Amino acid sequence: TGKFPGMVGLCSDWCLERCPSLRIDTHADNRPMQDALKRCGFQSCGIVTLADGTTRIAFEKVNK
């Protein structure tokens, strides 16, 4: 757990009030962030490959 529990939800809700969807990517080994995103309703939607060749797991949440 982080220093500010619920921050992912607060930030994503604020963003989704202003745009129809939100995408976030994170390292495969960043389990706390992945768990927080899933708790907030984000779904895994693929893998992002950066210019340096490293990869991230992509998540998306659509404002309904």
Side-chain angles (χ1 to χ4, degrees):
T1 61
K3 289 185 179 184
F4 303 102
M7 189 58 66
V8 171
L10 290 171
C11 291
S12 65
D13 288 347
W14 185 88
C15 292
L16 287 167
E17 289 174 2
R18 290 154 177 79
C19 63
S21 68
L22 181 60
R23 291 183 183 166
I24 299 173
D25 62 77
T26 187
H27 290 272
D29 59 352
N30 190 348
R31 295 297 306 176
M33 182 62 162
Q34 292 174 46
D35 292 343
L37 291 170
K38 290 175 186 174
R39 276 193 307 275
C40 292
F42 283 81
Q43 296 199 0
S44 177
C45 62
I47 302 294
V48 176
T49 303
L50 304 181
D52 66 2
T54 60
T55 59
R56 307 286 187 272
I57 301 172
F59 290 86
E60 182 175 34
K61 184 174 180 179
V62 177
N63 190 5
K64 295 181 180 181

